[in-house]
Amino acid sequence: MARSKHSDGGEEIGLLAVQVGDLTGEPGKGEQIRKALAAFAASSRPDTLLPSERVLAEQFGVARMTVRGAIDSLESAGLVRREPGRGAFVQHPRLTHSEIFRSFTEDMRFRGMEPGARDFSARLEAATEAVAAALDIAEGDPVVRIERVRTADGTAMAYETTNLPASRFPDLIEKMSETDSLYEVLDRSYGVRPENAEQTVAIDRLSPEDAVRLETQAGEPCFAIERKAHDNMGKTVEFGRSLYRGDRYVIEMHVGRAADG
């Protein structure tokens, strides 16, 4: 990925100047610069190089220690990372993919983020051998296949593909829209509420096509998560595979020793 050069700060300084505005009151300058840098980081691509401490200090008329303190705060918050001899680079905080069973929509709302979607498609297909086995139906039976890119606050986070038995969920294609929560539609329209799931997680690399979908670079690492969700009667509701950006997620697991014997 191409990296910015410090030089005189140029375009980056112009953006920061607009975000900071007029600095007034010595005690508040550091906080104003911190907020401006945070806004700059949020609107920039990961690995964007921040202007140097010297350039920022000269531009805003403050001591380098004031700028350094603001960057220290951003580093503690996970918004930037420092590389010795190179400078400070933008990074986006990673979300924890926990063991708690939630839909993508529920998870983003829980985090205070706005869930969204794009590139939505829903169609009928004949179940392949693997999909049929996962859904406990016959090979060739019709399934509803749903694909879409899931977003959080407008940023692409995951590419979802899932399959549901069409006989159990008639007219699902007509009931689903791009941004609907699948689980909310199943609950509202069919009285079915997924309660638990079996998941497997593997590390993969994004293909060029998937990288375009997720607005990142081909070959970047991702989590490939297969999910088989069940209702409270143990019947399989859906079977799918999602690709989560490795630069935006970490996986949380709770482990313990096996009981003796």
Side-chain angles (χ1 to χ4, degrees):
M1 179 179 294
R3 300 183 187 272
S4 307
K5 294 183 178 179
H6 274 136
S7 61
D8 63 356
E11 181 179 343
E12 292 89 345
I13 282 292
L15 176 58
L16 287 169
V18 170
Q19 292 168 336
V20 171
D22 295 326
L23 295 177
T24 58
E26 184 67 33
K29 287 185 178 182
E31 177 61 15
Q32 292 177 66
I33 293 174
R34 186 198 67 77
K35 289 180 178 179
L37 289 171
F40 174 74
S43 62
S44 301
R45 293 180 62 86
D47 295 326
T48 299
L49 180 63
L50 268 65
S52 69
E53 292 179 4
R54 178 187 60 78
V55 170
L56 290 170
E58 291 177 356
Q59 176 69 25
F60 299 121
V62 296
R64 288 183 64 170
M65 287 299 295
T66 301
V67 172
R68 186 170 303 161
I71 296 176
D72 285 345
S73 178
L74 296 185
E75 185 176 28
S76 297
L79 296 177
V80 303
R81 73 178 189 282
R82 283 191 171 99
E83 295 185 8
R86 304 189 68 185
F89 295 85
V90 171
Q91 70 176 16
H92 292 164
R94 292 183 175 185
L95 304 181
T96 300
H97 195 286
S98 73
E99 292 179 325
I100 298 173
F101 181 58
R102 299 189 184 101
S103 69
F104 182 90
T105 298
E106 292 169 331
D107 191 36
M108 292 306 109
R109 289 174 180 165
F110 175 79
R111 300 172 191 275
M113 305 176 79
E114 181 63 31
R118 56 175 175 74
D119 300 341
F120 173 82
S121 72
R123 60 186 182 274
L124 286 176
E125 288 189 354
T128 63
E129 181 180 0
V131 169
L135 293 177
D136 301 317
I137 60 177
E139 183 177 355
D141 280 357
V143 295
V144 178
R145 183 178 177 87
I146 297 172
E147 299 179 22
R148 55 183 168 172
V149 173
R150 301 312 309 270
T151 64
D153 290 343
T155 298
M157 305 293 282
Y159 173 51
E160 291 183 344
T161 302
T162 194
N163 305 273
L164 303 94
S167 60
R168 189 177 184 189
F169 303 110
D171 304 320
L172 176 58
I173 292 175
E174 287 71 30
K175 297 178 187 296
M176 274 289 297
S177 70
E178 182 174 74
T179 57
D180 280 336
S181 164
L182 173 61
Y183 288 2
E184 289 177 2
V185 171
L186 297 182
D187 189 10
R188 181 175 65 246
S189 300
Y190 303 96
V192 173
R193 183 177 176 84
E195 295 288 347
N196 58 77
E198 302 163 12
Q199 290 192 157
T200 60
V201 181
I203 305 299
D204 204 346
R205 291 195 177 274
L206 292 171
S207 68
E209 183 179 14
D210 289 332
V212 169
R213 289 189 177 107
L214 293 176
E215 301 171 352
T216 186
Q217 303 297 311
E220 286 292 302
C222 66
F223 295 108
I225 302 178
E226 283 193 352
R227 172 184 283 192
K228 184 177 177 181
H230 312 279
D231 63 18
N232 61 351
M233 300 299 291
K235 295 186 66 175
T236 304
V237 175
E238 63 154 344
F239 171 69
R241 184 174 188 264
S242 299
L243 299 178
Y244 283 80
R245 286 176 50 169
D247 64 334
R248 301 308 303 268
Y249 278 90
V250 294
I251 302 293
E252 178 183 273
M253 295 181 291
H254 297 281
V255 298
R257 294 186 182 276
D260 290 343

